[in-house]
Amino acid sequence: MGTTLDIKIKRANKVYHAGPIQVINSTIEMVKPGKFPGGKTEIPFEFPLHVKSNKVLYETYHGVFVNIQYTLRCDMRRSLLAKDLTKTCEFIVHSTPQKGKWTPSPVDFTITPDTLQNVKERALLPKFLIRGHLNSTNCVITQPLTGELVVESSEAAIKSIELQLVRVETCGCAEGYARDATEIQNIQIADGDVCRGLSIPIYMVFPRLFTCPTLETTNFKVEFEVNIVVLLHPDHLITENFPLKLCRM
Amino acid sequence: MDFQEGHSRNRNYKAEFASCRLEAVPLEFGDYHPLKPITVTESKTKKVSRKGSTSSTSSSSSSSVVDPLSSVLDGTDPLSMFAASADPATLAAAMDSSRKKRDRDDNSIVGSDFEPWASKRGEILARYTTTEKLSINLFMGSEKGKAGTATSAMSEKVRTRLEELDDFEEGSQKELLNLTQQDYVNRIEELNQSLKDAWASDQKVKALKIVIQCSKLLSDTSVIQFYPSKFVLITDILDTFGKLVYERIFSMCVDNRSVLPDHFSPENVNDTAKETCLNWFFKIASIRELIPRFYVEASILKCNKFLSKTGISECLPRLTCMVRGIGDPLVSVYARAYLCRVGMEVAPHLKESLNKNFFDFLLTFKQIHGDTVQNQLVLQGVELPSYLPLYSPAMDWVFQCVSYHAPEALLTEMMERCKKLGNNALLLNSVMSAFRAEFIATRSMDFIGMIKECDESGFPKHLLFRSLGLNLALADPPESDRLQILNEAWKVITKLKNPQDYINCAEVWVEYTCRHFTKREVNTVLADVIKHMTPDRAFEDSYPQLQSIIKKVIAHFHDFSVLFSVEKFLPFLDMFQKESVRVEVCKCIMEVFIKHQQEPTKDPVILNALLHVCKTMHDSVNALTLEDEKRMLAYLINGFIKMVSFGRDFEQQLSFYVEARSMFCNLEPVLVQLIHSVNRLAMETRKVMKGNHSRKTAAFVRACVAYCFITIPSLVGIFTRLNLYLHSGQVALANQCLSQADAFFKAAISLVPEVPKMINIDGKMRPSESFLLEFLCNFFSTLLIVPDHPEHGVLFLVRELLNVVQDYTWEENSDEKIRIYTCVLHLLSAMSQETYLYHVDKVDSNDSLYGGDSKFLAENNKLCETVMAQILEHLKTLAKDEALKRQSSLGLSFFNSILAHGDLRNNRLNQLSVNLWHLAQRHGCVDTRTMVKTLEYIKKQSKQPDMGHLTELALRLPLQTRT
C-alpha cells in the first residue's frame, strides 16, 4: 500500500494588492508506507520552524489587511481505490520575548480647550482641565495599560470617559500605501459626572486575539494607539491620542 | 339458694397492708442519685483507644456540676476523633480543621458578632419601595451597533413576538416598560432563573450576557427611591453567578485522585482550570461599560484564588479605585457596598481596602450636594430629605465592615473626618448605625451636640435620633449624662409633626427610658405618645410601633402593681382599637404576668386591670376562632385566675370566682379551672376548720358546692362533666354535704348513658370505652364510702349505676362490661367487711350505718350473685363465638378475683374457681408460666393462718402441660 503521510507547514501572508507571501514551507514524513494496526494510532511528531531565506517569522495575527496565519496540514495518501485524507488546522505562533531590558516610557498629559486641535469654534467649548499620565506607552502585551486621570475642573457635566484601543495597519505596495485604523477595544473608565480633583485609574487589559507586538516590515506595519475619549454634556467629544509600542517580554 | 354469710372473704386490711409493705430501708444521701450530673473523667489516651461502644457512665465518679454531654465532647467531635485515630487518610482532614482554627485566631474569619448581609436584605426590600412604574432594558447583542433602528419600523406587536422568540439570543433587545414594583421583582427573579438555566445547559456566554445586562441596570437611577431595593435584587443575581463560576472552576480541579481542600493554594490547581479562570477574567476585562465590568469582576473576586496567592489582595485595591470612575454618588456608594460585602466574604483580613472605600467615599461626599445630583432630583421630583436616606443601607454596610473589630483609634479618626465635612447628618447617621453601640453610647452627648448642629433641610433629624436611640438601647451612656440625654432627645422628638416620624423615633427611645428611669418618666413618655398619636386616629397606622412600646414597657416593669400605677398605661392600651391587635397586646401582657408574677395577689388595681385585659381576650372568641387560639387564651386566663388570692377572705375569693364565671363563660377550660378552684376553696375551708364546720362555714361550703353543681352542666366535654361531678361529689362528701354529694353522683349516673362510642381527642376520633372504664372504676371506688340515703333502698347508688352499665350499648366483641362487673365484685366484697378500707373523716359510711347487719349483707350477696351470673353468662357466649383466647383470659381474671376476694371455704365458690381454672386452660390459650406462678401463690398463701383450705384447693388445680 503506497501510502505516505507528510506534514506541510506554510505561512500565508496576504498583503494588500500583493497576494500571499509564503515565509515557511516544510514537509516531513511521519510514517513510512505500510499498514496501521486496527484501533486508534497516535503518532507523535515534531519539527523545527525553519524560515525561508531572507524572510522573518512573525507572530500570528488576524487583522483587516494583514493576516499572519500558520497552518498545519496532514495528508494521508492511500491506494488507488480509496481517496486521500487531509486535515488542516491553525496553530498560534508567539515570538520569543524580545531581548534587552524593557524600559517604561511614562507620559504626562493635560487636556484643556486650548490643547485641542481640529476645533472649529474654540469659544463655544466649555472650560475644562483634565490632567493625567500613562505609566508607559511602551507596553508589555501581557500587562495592562495603566495610568491615572484627574478631572481638575469642568464647566460641563461629564458623560463618560473611555479608553479606545486602536490598531493601525499600513500596507506598502506599488501604488503607494494603504492605512486603516480599527477600534479593537473600548473601555469606559468613568461613567457620569465624576468627582473633581479625584484621580481615576486608567486600566486596560490588551485583548489576546486582536493584539500582537508592534510590527514593522518592509511590506506592512501593524501599530497600536490609545485614545482617551472624554464625552461632555450635551454633546462634546474630546479625544487625546497616544501611540503605543507593544512588545512581548 | 342459700346465701350464707361468708361468700366474701373477710379481710384484715391492716394486717394485709403490713405484710405487703416493702421493707423500709434508710436512704443514704450524698452517695448516688439518678438525676445527679455525671462527670466523666477520662484521659485522652483512653478516649482514643475506645472502640465502638461508649461506656461513659462506668467511670463516672466526681460530683461537681458539669454537663455530662459537654464533658464527653470536650469541644471536639468524638466520632471524628475516633476516626482520625483509626484511619490515616483522614489525618489530612484533621490538619485542615486545625488550620481552620488557626485562621480563626488570625481574625481572618468573620465572627457571629458581624451582622450578615442576609439580615439586611429583607429590611431594605421592605423599606425602599415605589409606586412608580419601572422599566428594564436588556440588550443581549454584541457590544457594538447598539442602536436597534431596524426594529423601530416594526409594529409593537411584531416586535414583542420577535422578542419572545429570540429571548437573549444574539442581537435581541428587550425593553420592558410600565412595570409595577412586583412585576419588576418577578422579572429579576426570572432573569436569575434563566441565568441558572443557561449555566446548566452549558451556555456560559449567554449566562455572562445576562449578568452583564443585569448589572447594567444598576447604572440606571430613574425611580431613584427604588434603587436600594434594585441593588439588593441584582446583587442576588451576581452572587449566583459568582458562585456558579467558582464552583465550576473548583470542580475542574478535581481529578479522580483527589479533591481540592478548602484552603488550597494555586499550585494545586491544574492548568486547564487556570486557563478557564483566566479566560473569564479576560472576557470580563473587555466589558465596555464601567459599571457592569466592575460588578461582574467583583462577583468572581474569589476566583483569583485559583490563579495566584496575591490575586485577591491586588484585585481589591484596583476595584476600589475603579469605583472612583462612577460619577453618580448613589450608584458609587452602592458599588462600594457590594465590594465591601464581597471583600468581607472572601478576604476579611484585607482591612486596607475597606478603609480606602470609606475614605474615598468621604472624598466624593461633596458630590451629593453638587449640581448634577440636584438637577436629577428636581427632574424626578424627589426632595432631599427623602433622597439622603437612600444612601443609608450602603453607607451603613460600608461603615459596619470598616468598624468591625476596628481599633478605637480608627473609629475616632473616622468620626473626626465625618465631623469635618459639611452637611454631615447622613454620615453621622451611618456612624451611629454601624459603630459599636458602646462607642456611641459613651459619646452620646457629643452626638446630640452634632445632631443639633445639622442642617435642618438635609437628612431628617428624627432618623438621627432614632439611630442614637437604637445604640442607647444596647449600651449604657455614662450615669451622669443619662437624664440630660433623655431631655435633649425628647425635646426634639416631641416636636416632630409627622406621626409616623414621631412614632418611629419614640418607639426606640422608650427602651432607653424604661432601662434607666422610673415610672414617672415612663408615664410622661407614654402621655406624650398618646398626645401625638390620638389626633386624626394616627395610631391606626402605627400599631406595630405601639405594640413594640407596650412590649418594652412590660419587659421592664415586672411588678404589675407598679406597672398599673403608671397612670397612662391603661389609656395607652385604649389606642389599640383594632380588635386583633388589642388581643395580641393583651396576650403579651398576660404572658409577662404569668412569667413574672411570683406571689398570688389581691391588689385591686392589678385585678381590675387584668380582668379587663382577660375580658378583652375572652370577648374576641367567636365561632371562627381556632382551637389553638382558644387554648392559648384559656391558658393565659387560667394563669391569671390561679394567681388571684384573697388569703383568708374566702367569701371574697368565691365572689371573685362568681364574677370570673360570668366573664369567661365561653372558654370551657376556664370554667373547668374555676370549678377546680372553687373545690379547692371548699377544701381549704375544711382545712382551716380542721374538719369541724361552723354554721357559717358549712353554709359557705354549700355555696361552693352549689357553684360547682350549677356550673358543670354548662360544659360540653362529656368526660369533663363526668369527672367533675365525681370530683365535686367527693369534695361535697368531704365537707359533710351528704345530700349534695348524692346529687352529684346521681347526676353523673344519669349522664353515663349519654357517653358516645367515639369521642374527639385532639381532633381525632377515638373509642371512648377505655375512658369510660377508667371513670367507672373510679366511681365505684368512691361509692364504697358513700352512705346509703335513709329513704332509698340498700346500695341505691350502686344499683343505679349497675343498671346504667347494664343498659349501656357496649362495643361488640368487647369485654369492658365484664371488667366493670369484676370491679363491682371487688367493691361488694369490700362493702361486706366489718370495717372499710378507707373513710372520709366525719362521715359515717355503710359499715358504721349498718354495723354488719345481716340483711344488708344478704342484699350485698344477692347483688354479688347477680353480677357473677352475668359474668358466667358472658363466658359462655364467648365459647360460642369461638373467642377462646378472650374466654381464657377473662376466666383467669375472674378466678383471680375470686381468689383475692372470695371465701373459698364456701363449696360453691370453691367448685366455681376449680371450674374457672379448667376453663382457662381448656383450649391451650393460656400462658403456662402465669398458671405456674398462680399456683405457687396459692400454695404460699395456704401457709398463712386461716388459709389452710387453700392447700386442698391447690391439689384440685392441675397444671396442663402443653402438647
Side-chain angles (χ1 to χ4, degrees), chain A residues 148 157 162 183-196 198-201 203 205-208, chain B residues 144 219 275 279 282 285-291 293 318 321-322 324-328 363-364 366-367 372:
Chain A
E148 260 183 1
E162 286 155 22
E183 174 189 297
I184 51 173
Q185 182 164 273
N186 189 324
I187 292 289
Q188 187 187 38
I189 58 166
D191 181 9
D193 198 16
V194 289
C195 189
R196 307 292 187 264
L198 194 65
S199 68
I200 294 164
Y203 183 91
V205 176
F206 292 111
R208 285 195 288 192
Chain B
K144 291 162 198 169
S219 58
E275 188 61 26
N279 252 328
F282 268 110
S286 70
I287 296 172
R288 199 188 83 82
E289 284 174 64
L290 174 67
I291 288 167
R293 191 168 69 245
R318 183 169 57 74
C321 280
M322 198 165 156
R324 290 177 164 200
I326 301 176
D328 189 299
L363 290 176
T364 59
K366 55 179 187 270
Q367 273 186 294
T372 312

Side-chain angles (χ1 to χ4, degrees), chain B residues 525-728:
Chain B
V525 167
L526 291 183
D528 196 54
V529 174
I530 295 172
K531 201 177 99 198
H532 276 82
M533 301 311 287
T534 312
D536 300 328
R537 299 178 69 81
F539 51 78
E540 285 180 342
D541 300 322
S542 311
Y543 284 135
Q545 291 92 331
L546 294 173
Q547 252 177 297
S548 144
I549 290 178
I550 284 287
K551 278 186 192 161
K552 282 169 186 162
V553 172
I554 56 180
H556 282 90
F557 290 87
H558 294 160
D559 185 344
F560 273 64
S561 58
V562 178
L563 179 68
F564 289 123
S565 66
V566 175
E567 275 170 45
K568 292 293 178 184
F569 185 77
L570 289 177
F572 194 94
L573 289 186
D574 289 340
M575 283 198 292
F576 296 102
Q577 295 195 357
K578 190 178 169 194
E579 191 184 45
S580 60
V581 182
R582 197 165 67 228
V583 171
E584 278 308 307
V585 171
C586 290
K587 277 170 154 175
C588 288
I589 295 173
M590 289 319 294
E591 269 163 24
V592 172
F593 177 79
I594 290 171
K595 195 169 161 199
H596 293 292
Q597 186 72 24
Q598 305 284 341
E599 297 289 317
T601 180
K602 59 173 180 181
D603 183 334
V605 178
I606 297 182
L607 293 193
N608 264 330
L610 290 186
L611 267 179
H612 176 70
V613 166
C614 287
K615 177 120 180 69
T616 308
M617 295 197 296
H618 170 268
D619 291 352
S620 73
V621 174
N622 56 35
L624 297 175
T625 311
L626 296 172
E627 277 306 314
D628 284 347
E629 172 77 3
K630 280 195 213 166
R631 188 163 47 229
M632 186 68 202
L633 295 176
Y635 160 77
L636 292 172
I637 295 174
N638 283 346
F640 166 61
I641 289 172
K642 282 189 232 168
M643 273 298 167
V644 175
S645 168
F646 292 88
R648 294 292 284 266
D649 190 348
F650 289 164
E651 282 173 356
Q652 179 79 45
Q653 187 83 37
L654 183 62
S655 62
F656 169 76
Y657 291 140
V658 171
E659 194 187 350
R661 182 179 58 189
S662 67
M663 275 181 158
F664 307 126
C665 54
N666 285 333
L667 285 170
E668 182 150 328
V670 178
L671 292 180
V672 171
Q673 173 63 43
L674 284 171
I675 291 166
H676 282 305
S677 295
V678 170
N679 276 332
R680 196 187 138 93
L681 188 63
M683 293 310 279
E684 284 287 317
T685 316
R686 181 180 179 273
K687 199 167 139 200
V688 169
M689 301 306 289
K690 301 201 173 61
N692 298 313
H693 282 298
S694 68
R695 232 176 61 199
K696 202 177 155 200
T697 60
F700 176 73
V701 165
R702 278 198 292 275
C704 290
V705 170
Y707 180 103
C708 297
F709 193 72
I710 57 169
T711 310
I712 295 171
S714 61
L715 301 175
V716 176
I718 185 114
F719 282 103
T720 318
R721 271 185 283 162
L722 283 174
N723 285 318
L724 281 175
Y725 273 135
L726 179 57
H727 188 85
S728 305

Side-chain angles (χ1 to χ4, degrees), chain B residues 137-155:
Chain B
N137 193 339
L138 297 172
F139 179 73
M140 302 306 292
S142 53
E143 293 283 331
K144 291 162 198 169
K146 188 174 173 179
T149 43
T151 51
S152 64
M154 275 188 266
S155 73

